Amino acid sequence: MPTLRIQMPDQLEVTHQLTGERITIGRTPDNTIQIQNPAVSARHAELIAEDGHYRLHDLESTNLTFVDGLPVVDFHLRQACYLMFGTVQCSFDPADGSAEEALMTREQLEKDVAFLRTENADLRARQLSLQRRLDMLSSARLVTGRTDSTPSAAAQDSLRAVVTERDDLRHTVAGLRLETTNLTQELEAANRERERLRCAIAGLQTEKVSLGRAQQKSGVAAVPPMNGAPIRPVPKPGALTSRDPGSALSALDPRATQRLALPLDAAFQPIADTLVALRSALDRVSGVPDDDFSRVELMTISTQLVDLTASLQDHPIARMAASVETLLHGLLAQPGAVEDTAARTVVQALDLLARLVEPRQVERAKTLPPASVLAVEEDAGTLSELVALLETVQLETTTCAGAGAVLAQACGRQFDLVLLDCDLAGPAAPALCAQLRGESAYRKTPIIFLTGSTAAPPATPSGLRGGTDFLAKPVNPAELAVKAQMWSLRNQFNLL
């Protein structure tokens, strides 16, 4: 029977046996499973029985639902895993795989036994017929006094053949039962080994996180090197590195590097390895901006990423990789250090690619419709350039030249991304952004400010005042392409 073990903050573990067709989980008492924790929404998630398994569905919770550390909206729980409702940790254990396999084998065995019973009944009927025939021959022999026993011998031979066949069938059934028992034991042993390996992997991940924190405290980068050799150039004083907590090179998702290190399908593992190498090379370029070897290495690895994703053809991963390569080559062609904002854009894109190389995300991306963008810009020349650029990366763009028509356009269609000029006449961009946020459909929609100032604080939500990100004018076409693809895909994959 499936179980859900909840680790409460006071270190008490509560175990629930899952038996219903629909199980709701939340903070209020009207849920099937109540978790009294402020991080859990009133109605946080639900478990729905489907095809012998439970399907986990997030009910638009405030603090999200996670499976093995990754946020999910809808997920089939086919094997044991770790869940998080907000910050409350749980472990899910499905119906024992060995019992399920044994049940399937037992069902097949029952069918075989039913067939053998039918055949045994036919054999019994034949036996009775032959016995009656033998009795008739015996009676006739007694009456006539004849000693001819040929028919009787034939009947006895047939009877012995029937008995032998029945015994063989009984031995076959016994062999099937023994094989079923052996398979059940093997499955139990495999499940125990799987649980041992899972615990070992969890221990290694914990050790890796502890090691990374220790390296950060000691000032040594925790990014894995490309070829196993410790390539750690000494950064210049004041240089931008990922070890700086406020640096733009700090990934939005702290588990991004750890996710890339996990085993993937053979088709996507080389892409994940190249992303790790690209992240490491970007860190080295930031630490020593005038190291020509590191800059060439970064350009080479970005080209390798494009070559590896070329087999995906028109997949969002391939388009994003090509845009990242274009942006990096343009930045590295200029002397000096990589700009902080551009480096942050690359890191955000690498974090998203780390999520998309997972097999289920790759398949999901194939069914996504083209992303739609609402571009709000008063300057007609700049607006036409934005449209041309966004359409080259297959983003459907709707234009709006004034603030007055923004809400009408937004209410008429659900857009995946909004580009908002900060220099609009009439309502200020923050006020217009606040009006958009007031619409239920645009509470989480990414909004990128196009500003003429390069001093906008990108890392503080208060500085953006309702916006998600910003881009300074004149706009870098390559950076805009990366940002537009990244934020629209995050919105489509519910990764905001």
Side-chain angles (χ1 to χ4, degrees), residues 40 51-52 73 89 115 158 182 235 257 262 278 286 290 311 335 368 388 425 428 432:
V40 179
D51 297 333
V73 176
Q89 299 182 356
F115 173 78
S158 299
N182 294 336
T257 304
L262 297 177
L278 188 61
S286 176
D290 57 352
S311 59
L368 290 177
L432 185 58

Side-chain angles (χ1 to χ4, degrees), residues 82-253:
Y82 294 99
L83 308 180
M84 285 185 63
F85 302 104
T87 59
V88 178
Q89 299 182 356
C90 309
S91 61
F92 175 81
D93 190 6
D96 187 28
S98 60
E100 181 181 357
E101 187 69 21
L103 179 61
M104 295 174 60
T105 307
R106 187 164 55 251
E107 291 177 354
Q108 184 62 38
L109 181 60
E110 290 176 355
K111 293 181 181 179
D112 295 341
V113 171
F115 173 78
L116 294 176
R117 286 176 178 173
T118 302
E119 189 169 351
N120 195 23
D122 294 338
L123 294 176
R124 287 180 181 273
R126 288 178 57 190
Q127 180 183 0
L128 292 176
S129 176
L130 292 173
Q131 186 65 45
R132 285 195 297 269
R133 183 178 177 185
L134 179 61
D135 293 341
M136 291 174 61
L137 292 174
S138 300
S139 299
R141 186 166 58 250
L142 291 174
V143 173
T144 60
R146 297 175 60 183
T147 59
D148 186 8
S149 60
T150 301
S152 176
Q156 292 291 342
D157 291 340
S158 299
L159 181 60
R160 283 193 294 270
V162 170
V163 173
T164 301
E165 187 175 0
R166 185 188 60 185
D167 291 340
D168 291 340
L169 291 175
R170 287 177 177 174
H171 288 304
T172 302
V173 172
L176 290 174
R177 290 176 177 172
L178 179 61
E179 185 177 358
T180 300
T181 302
N182 294 336
L183 289 175
T184 301
Q185 294 175 352
E186 291 178 3
L187 286 171
E188 291 176 352
N191 285 332
R192 288 194 297 270
E193 180 66 15
R194 182 186 64 182
E195 183 66 22
R196 185 187 68 80
L197 291 175
R198 189 178 67 179
C199 293
I201 291 174
L204 289 175
Q205 290 177 348
T206 302
E207 183 179 354
K208 179 179 179 180
V209 172
S210 301
L211 179 60
R213 291 175 179 173
Q215 289 175 332
Q216 288 178 356
K217 291 180 180 179
S218 62
V220 179
V223 179
M226 289 182 58
N227 54 5
I231 304 176
R232 296 187 178 91
V234 180
K236 291 185 175 182
L240 176 65
T241 67
S242 62
R243 295 181 290 276
D244 181 5
S247 167
L249 293 181
S250 299
L252 295 182
D253 185 358

Side-chain angles (χ1 to χ4, degrees), residues 271 303-315 317-319 321-322:
I271 299 177
T303 303
Q304 291 175 354
L305 178 63
V306 173
D307 294 338
L308 287 173
T309 58
S311 59
L312 299 177
Q313 298 179 351
D314 199 29
H315 196 276
I317 291 179
R319 295 200 300 268

Side-chain angles (χ1 to χ4, degrees), residues 6-10 14 16 25-31 33-42 85 88:
I6 304 174
Q7 185 68 44
M8 300 301 292
D10 55 2
V14 181
H16 294 274
I25 301 171
R27 191 178 64 253
T28 57
D30 59 339
N31 291 279
I33 298 177
Q34 182 185 9
I35 304 178
Q36 295 181 347
N37 189 282
V40 179
S41 299
F85 302 104
V88 178

Side-chain angles (χ1 to χ4, degrees), residues 373-420:
V373 180
L374 176 62
V376 184
E377 170 64 53
E378 287 187 335
D379 184 71
T382 304
L383 187 61
S384 62
E385 292 176 359
L386 291 176
V387 173
L389 174 62
L390 295 174
E391 289 181 349
T392 58
V393 291
Q394 300 187 19
L395 296 177
E396 294 183 356
T397 307
T398 301
T399 61
C400 187
V406 171
L407 292 178
Q409 290 278 12
C411 294
R413 180 180 177 183
Q414 177 66 50
F415 293 95
D416 299 305
L417 174 66
V418 177
L419 298 178
L420 185 58

